[in-house]
């Protein structure tokens, strides 16, 4: 593999991870699911959730997002190891969330990833979410409200 191809692969995988965060933040579950291979798996053992295949990933994401008052996810670069048409990597997360039932907090987590090159570019074959730190202390802030947004139940 040429140095140029290795650099291009890393850039594309990093863009894939950024696209995942953007789809989560924009609540675009169809786009989020499209970032996986047809047999892709999204595992979140702490919830616990295991979603297999594009339809389960999309529908499961919709069920999770329906529980949010607000959710903010920040992705930080991790590692990428490329081996031909497959790769592994880690991405580091910082998130804040408040659910409609009042659970809230800040967490730091890691996505342990497996990727595969496809005709449509790199895709996730597996993402495993591992929470490393959870702070359930009530959040001092809130999501800005617009006329279309319901009032915060904590206010």
């Amino acid at each position: 593999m040429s140095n140029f191809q290795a650099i291009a692969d890393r850039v594309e995988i990093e863009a894939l991870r950024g696209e995942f965060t953007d789809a989560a933040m924009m609540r675009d579950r169809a786009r989020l699911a499209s970032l996986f291979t047809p047999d892709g798996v999204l595992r979140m053992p702490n919830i616990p959730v295991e979603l297999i295949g594009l339809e389960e990933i999309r529908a499961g994401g919709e069920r999770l997002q329906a529980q949010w008052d607000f959710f903010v996810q920040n992705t930080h670069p991790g590692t990428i190891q490329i081996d031909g048409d497959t790769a592994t990597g880690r991405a580091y997360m910082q998130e804040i969330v408040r659910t409609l039932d009042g659970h809230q907090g800040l967490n730091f987590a890691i996505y342990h990833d497996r990727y595969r090159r496809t005709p449509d570019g790199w895709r996730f074959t597996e993402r495993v979410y591992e929470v490393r730190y959870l702070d359930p202390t009530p959040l001092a802030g809130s999501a800005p409200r617009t006329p279309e947004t319901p009032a915060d139940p904590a206010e």
Side-chain angles (χ1 to χ4, degrees):
M1 179 185 316
S2 72
N3 285 340
F4 176 76
Q5 185 62 55
I7 292 167
D9 288 341
R10 288 179 180 282
V11 167
E12 189 173 338
I13 290 170
E14 208 49 70
L16 175 70
R17 298 191 304 199
E19 191 77 16
F20 181 96
T21 297
D22 187 67
M25 291 288 299
M26 297 296 103
R27 298 179 180 223
D28 186 345
R29 296 304 171 180
R31 179 166 49 116
L32 188 140
S34 76
L35 303 174
F36 286 79
T37 59
D39 60 346
V41 179
L42 177 58
R43 292 185 173 92
M44 295 175 270
N46 66 299
I47 293 181
V49 167
E50 179 174 271
L51 306 169
I52 302 170
L54 304 180
E55 182 53 30
E56 276 191 29
I57 292 169
R58 185 200 57 75
E62 287 177 1
R63 282 190 305 275
L64 289 172
Q65 104 181 18
Q67 300 172 33
W68 300 341
D69 177 27
F70 65 85
F71 172 78
V72 178
Q73 180 180 77
N74 292 295
T75 304
H76 305 279
T79 64
I80 299 170
Q81 295 84 36
I82 299 169
D83 184 14
D85 289 338
T86 63
T88 58
R90 286 184 297 278
Y92 301 96
M93 314 303 298
Q94 178 185 11
E95 300 168 316
I96 59 170
V97 64
R98 181 167 40 229
T99 59
L100 294 173
D101 66 2
H103 287 88
Q104 56 191 312
L106 161 74
N107 75 58
F108 293 89
I110 302 171
Y111 272 116
H112 301 273
D113 295 333
R114 294 186 183 282
Y115 316 97
R116 184 179 328 139
R117 187 190 320 269
T118 73
D120 296 320
W122 286 94
R123 295 290 184 264
F124 296 105
T125 58
E126 179 182 57
R127 280 207 114 178
V128 179
Y129 182 77
E130 177 192 0
V131 174
R132 287 288 182 99
Y133 173 82
L134 177 61
D135 179 357
T137 304
L139 300 170
S142 64
R145 302 295 170 199
T146 64
E148 304 84 39
T149 307
D152 182 343
E155 295 175 340

